[in-house]
Amino acid sequence: LVSGRLCAALVASLFVSTAASAQVQDRTLKFGYSTFEAHPLGQGANKFVELVGQKSGGKIKMKVYPATQLGSETQTISATQGGVQDIVGTSTAPLVGLVKEYAIFDFPFLFSNEKEADAVVDGPVGQTLLAKLSDKNLVGLCFFENGFRHVTNSKRPITTAADVEGLKIRTMQNPVYIDAFKTLGANAVPMPWPEVYTALESGAIDAQENPYGIIYVNKLNEVQKYVSVTKHAYSPWAMIMSKKLWDKLSPEEQKIFVDSCNEAKTYQRQVSRAEDAKIISELKAKGMAINELSPEETAKIKAKLQPVIDKYAPSVGEELVRQAQTSI
Ligand code: PAF
């Protein structure tokens, strides 16, 4: 009798796994994100789609919906939680609304270079944060890189903290960014990315902050004059799958997604870093004035922003902060 039941259970589990695979293989998965396909994030996304296709022998198919076609990052994260969208690529900043510990990535000047960022996002801190998404109906696969963020504006070069005062600056929908810019005396306006170009064009806002690649592919040179290399924060970009879909996958299929993400991330970061150098001269050629800040002024801005870190460190938790510090 026992062996009969065991046999029935095995047949049932085999059936579930085959049926599940069929559900994934019978349709084209929806992968939406906010940047353009030409951006290094878009190139990384295409590499991920290609790898999943290869590793599954062409059985798992995905269609990319770049350039906010499926909505803002907050909207596409919600759609992925609901299973309406299968995969989302997003800057991690909007995730703080779901998992407060993500705020660690938004701490001003947490990283000085990409090596430090890689050590933290690929180390225990990154793994813990990816795992925390599962309580929110999401599965974190790996982190791509959006990059170090710099301020652009239409008014003046930023060379000291005082130059930020009074600027009406768009921030991501994230409390750490809002507080950081308020602390510097700016008028911080949280706004979904799809609204930003028009708001800059109409003069509703003066400034925004993003990495070089985003400034370039979104042609912000048309609506902004100054790029100040503030390097005030680093944006990881999380690749996230709907848990509804994940739970239907066989362990082999789950592994295909994680492995493909990790392979694609190495490629994506290389492209991102190689393109940064080229973009700086392109932006200059398009008429943007690019200025560096002196180490002394950067240190002063950093000191002014320490209270923001102190405010959010308790919600991140001592252990994660300590792990981040030891990984750097
Ligand atoms: O500024 C943002 O909101 C993000 O950096 C962007 C451009 C949507 C990319 O993730």
Side-chain angles (χ1 to χ4, degrees):
L1 183 69
V2 172
S3 84
R5 277 199 193 132
L6 199 64
C7 198
L10 274 175
V11 171
S13 80
L14 197 67
F15 175 76
V16 169
S17 153
T18 314
S21 300
Q23 288 192 46
V24 176
Q25 293 169 10
D26 280 353
R27 65 187 183 91
T28 301
L29 304 179
K30 272 170 116 173
F31 174 12
Y33 58 89
S34 50
T35 58
F36 289 103
E37 229 174 326
H39 186 278
L41 287 167
Q43 296 180 47
N46 286 344
K47 174 62 83 184
F48 170 68
V49 172
E50 180 193 314
L51 287 168
V52 170
Q54 270 170 19
K55 289 181 196 291
S56 67
K59 287 182 183 139
I60 304 178
K61 293 171 277 303
M62 269 181 271
K63 178 167 163 45
V64 292
Y65 295 84
T68 68
Q69 281 175 51
L70 301 182
S72 70
E73 290 190 329
T74 320
Q75 287 166 331
T76 49
I77 293 166
S78 290
T80 308
Q81 282 182 291
V84 178
Q85 184 174 324
D86 299 299
I87 297 159
V88 59
T90 175
S91 281
T92 52
L95 294 170
V96 173
L98 293 178
V99 178
K100 59 185 185 337
E101 289 86 349
Y102 269 88
I104 192 159
F105 290 147
D106 307 316
F107 284 6
F109 302 101
L110 179 66
F111 306 124
S112 318
N113 54 50
E114 284 92 358
K115 198 166 166 255
E116 292 180 1
D118 290 352
V120 174
V121 302
D122 296 338
V125 173
Q127 286 311 310
T128 304
L129 291 175
L130 288 175
K132 279 189 181 292
L133 292 171
S134 64
D135 290 346
K136 305 291 168 189
N137 283 333
L138 297 169
V139 174
L141 298 175
C142 79
F143 294 106
F144 283 12
E145 149 177 301
N146 187 0
F148 279 100
R149 303 180 76 93
H150 310 295
V151 176
T152 69
N153 82 94
S154 55
K155 301 282 186 202
R156 52 185 171 262
I158 293 165
T159 54
T160 68
D163 294 322
V164 181
E165 279 172 32
L167 280 181
K168 212 168 176 194
I169 184 166
R170 175 270 178 176
T171 69
M172 290 187 283
Q173 294 163 295
N174 170 289
V176 187
Y177 278 89
I178 297 169
D179 274 356
F181 281 99
K182 278 188 180 162
T183 303
L184 296 177
N187 181 354
V189 186
M191 187 184 282
W193 179 247
E195 294 169 27
V196 176
Y197 184 95
T198 316
L200 290 170
E201 190 176 35
S202 70
I205 51 172
D206 311 313
Q208 68 83 47
E209 48 79 51
N210 252 300
Y212 291 124
I214 296 287
I215 299 168
Y216 181 67
V217 290
N218 288 279
K219 300 191 168 84
L220 295 193
N221 56 289
E222 294 171 353
V223 287
Q224 298 276 265
K225 174 74 185 163
Y226 302 101
V227 183
S228 300
V229 185
T230 46
K231 215 177 169 184
H232 55 276
Y234 174 88
S235 270
W237 207 72
M239 292 278 287
I240 302 173
M241 179 181 273
S242 160
K243 190 154 186 314
K244 284 195 177 165
L245 170 64
W246 179 262
D247 289 342
K248 289 178 191 151
L249 300 176
S250 67
E252 295 74 24
E253 288 165 335
Q254 292 176 341
K255 187 169 175 339
I256 287 176
F257 279 98
V258 174
D259 289 353
S260 301
C261 195
N262 281 313
E263 262 181 72
K265 112 188 152 188
T266 307
Y267 166 82
Q268 189 276 330
R269 290 181 194 168
Q270 273 165 6
V271 175
S272 171
R273 291 162 197 181
E275 290 208 352
D276 265 6
K278 286 188 246 153
I279 290 174
I280 299 170
S281 46
E282 289 280 336
L283 290 175
K284 281 186 187 156
K286 288 181 188 296
M288 291 194 98
I290 306 189
N291 72 282
E292 305 263 347
L293 276 78
S294 70
E296 295 73 29
E297 289 305 328
T298 301
K300 284 185 199 163
I301 297 177
K302 204 172 164 178
K304 274 183 186 276
L305 293 176
Q306 186 57 42
V308 179
I309 297 180
D310 297 342
K311 177 175 171 184
Y312 289 96
S315 61
V316 167
E318 255 176 47
E319 182 52 18
L320 268 189
V321 173
R322 193 196 57 76
Q323 281 180 351
Q325 281 161 349
T326 24
S327 303
I328 288 171

